Amino acid sequence: MAQKRTRVIAVLIAFGVLHAVLDVFQPYFRGSTHRLRRSLSDGGPVVYPWARNNLRPLDVAPEPDKDAVLVWHIPKSGGHTVKSIYECMGQTLANRAGVDPRYGHQLDEEIIAFQPYPGVSRATFVNVDTTNRPGIDRAKQMGLVPSGLVDIIVTSEPKYAIENLFDGTHKGRVLALFRHPVDRLVSKFFYLREATWEKQYRPQWKRMGVLEFAKQRNTDNNYMVKKLAALRVNDAATEEDLRIAMRTIKKRFIVGLVDHMAESVHRFNIVLGIDESQKENRKCMEHFLHDSVGARKHKSKSNPKVEPGSATWNAFAKRNSLDIRLYEFVVELFSQQKEIIESYETSYAG
């Protein structure tokens, strides 16, 4: 009987010790999600580590002669137009063109900058492809950013590119052009069913309407939030992912809007240190942004309008609620960043 009582006492003591330990370490056992939520509600500086460590904060004025700038290319959001403008202006770009077999630099072992059409075009590229992960790995190995040869790095993999191409010694800046998620997906649907030159060409989409696509076939949902969180297409993005994306963009990204393309490119030019008064640069702006053959060529093909509140709009919106909230946040941020951009201009003048 005495032995039984002793065992009971020992168990109670052990339970009491365990309870005390849990009380002490409970905040850690709750997991990072709970700590993150608490930090966000307290207004803490929660930014994705790859952005916090490898990108310059917006309150630090750009140094165009030293900074490498990354452009996050969000599909069907004006990225092609932006690339064309800066090719026209003679900026040195890292994108798919750098390893085009037509130019013969896809197997180079050292970073170089080259002009495919000297005397005809000012377009200049470095001999790497930063639009995909294997290309980013190659660019890192070849020392793309430390080389100082690149002005603009174009990628659809922002987290992976920033994490691997920049570091504490060579910090970067990010420019990103945003479009309403529903408009982006409608444009994607009509584009890929006609774009025979694209790897993602989908001729079968010609046999369906956009409502069927929205309800049954589209898997490209909450694209922006997922990309920043490094999630896969079939992964589910969370409220926490959205809030960290908002904080990261606010603290580290210069944003532009497809609906305000001219003003967006003007802001990007300031960050890049491009002189808009220079005659050739003015021609590029006029050609691609205003009512000309170039502007019409680079505008998205006119597609049937999907009206807000329609069945199709609601089907897309239901599956992209996080991206829509992120976009609405960016629209507000676009207005707020005007003052920051003006401060950059003032610092240049000083």
Side-chain angles (χ1 to χ4, degrees):
M1 187 70 179
Q3 289 180 342
K4 183 176 180 181
R5 187 162 47 248
T6 300
R7 285 197 299 270
V8 170
I9 292 172
V11 169
L12 290 174
I13 292 173
F15 181 79
V17 171
L18 178 61
H19 185 73
V21 170
L22 288 174
D23 279 345
V24 172
F25 290 98
Q26 187 178 22
Y28 299 96
F29 294 155
R30 286 175 180 167
S32 59
T33 299
H34 292 272
R35 294 197 297 275
L36 173 60
R37 185 182 295 116
R38 186 166 58 251
S39 180
L40 283 168
S41 64
D42 292 343
V46 178
V47 171
Y48 280 120
W50 48 265
R52 183 180 63 247
N53 298 333
N54 293 354
L55 298 176
R56 297 195 187 281
L58 298 190
D59 58 3
V60 176
E63 297 181 73
D65 293 337
K66 298 179 181 179
D67 292 345
V69 172
L70 182 141
V71 171
W72 178 19
H73 183 186
I74 301 169
K76 306 309 296 173
S77 299
H80 184 56
T81 299
V82 168
K83 287 186 291 184
S84 297
I85 290 171
Y86 291 124
E87 288 176 17
C88 178
M89 290 181 172
Q91 294 287 291
T92 301
L93 273 66
N95 67 3
R96 190 174 295 117
V99 296
D100 190 317
R102 291 177 298 173
Y103 309 139
H105 294 289
Q106 71 274 20
L107 300 179
D108 290 350
E109 295 182 357
E110 295 183 0
I111 287 285
I112 64 166
F114 67 94
Q115 288 186 313
Y117 308 108
V120 178
S121 169
R122 293 196 292 169
T124 307
F125 304 101
V126 286
N127 54 338
V128 294
D129 178 6
T130 52
T131 63
N132 57 66
R133 293 191 175 199
I136 291 167
D137 291 339
R138 178 171 176 265
K140 178 182 180 179
Q141 182 181 8
M142 294 172 68
L144 172 64
V145 172
S147 75
L149 292 177
V150 66
D151 296 314
I152 300 172
I153 298 167
V154 180
T155 190
S156 295
E157 299 286 346
K159 189 259 186 186
Y160 193 80
I162 293 165
E163 203 167 44
N164 285 279
L165 297 180
F166 300 115
D167 56 35
T169 303
H170 304 92
K171 293 194 174 186
R173 294 184 181 275
V174 175
L175 310 176
L177 197 62
F178 294 84
R179 186 180 190 182
H180 193 287
V182 174
D183 292 334
R184 186 185 77 80
L185 288 168
V186 170
S187 178
K188 173 185 175 178
F189 168 72
F190 285 106
Y191 174 73
L192 287 181
R193 68 182 195 169
E194 304 291 343
T196 56
W197 55 91
E198 293 283 3
K199 291 181 180 179
Q200 293 180 307
Y201 172 51
R202 295 292 185 270
Q204 64 272 26
W205 289 359
K206 295 179 182 179
R207 298 190 293 272
M208 71 177 72
V210 65
L211 178 58
E212 180 185 349
F213 171 75
K215 285 185 172 182
Q216 301 178 17
R217 299 300 179 89
N218 178 49
T219 59
D220 182 16
N221 297 313
N222 290 319
Y223 173 91
M224 296 184 294
V225 173
K226 288 181 181 180
K227 273 295 179 183
L228 294 176
L231 297 174
R232 295 169 296 184
V233 171
N234 293 326
D235 291 338
T238 67
E239 187 76 16
E240 280 73 24
D241 294 327
L242 170 64
R243 297 178 71 182
I244 305 173
M246 288 177 172
R247 187 66 61 87
T248 298
I249 289 173
K250 181 176 182 178
K251 295 294 185 180
R252 292 295 192 273
F253 286 34
I254 295 294
V255 304
L257 299 173
V258 170
D259 288 344
H260 298 276
M261 181 68 86
E263 172 63 18
S264 299
V265 171
H266 170 66
R267 295 184 184 188
F268 294 171
N269 289 344
I270 292 171
V271 174
L272 290 161
I274 290 174
D275 182 0
E276 292 182 352
S277 67
Q278 204 261 352
K279 182 179 178 181
E280 293 300 320
N281 291 340
R282 286 202 314 271
K283 285 183 179 180
C284 295
M285 299 278 286
E286 180 67 28
H287 181 70
F288 290 105
L289 294 178
H290 301 293
D291 191 16
S292 67
V293 173
R296 290 193 295 273
K297 180 180 178 181
H298 284 81
K299 286 180 180 177
S300 296
K301 182 180 178 182
S302 180
N303 299 313
K305 181 70 174 176
V306 174
E307 297 292 342
S310 66
T312 300
W313 181 281
N314 291 340
F316 279 124
K318 180 179 179 180
R319 294 165 175 80
N320 289 273
S321 60
L322 297 181
D323 260 15
I324 289 174
R325 287 166 61 193
L326 181 61
Y327 175 78
E328 291 170 347
F329 175 81
V330 167
V331 171
E332 294 181 7
L333 192 59
F334 183 74
S335 297
Q336 297 169 12
Q337 286 189 351
K338 185 175 187 296
E339 185 176 343
I340 294 175
I341 299 297
E342 289 174 349
S343 75
Y344 294 166
E345 287 189 292
T346 302
S347 71
Y348 295 161

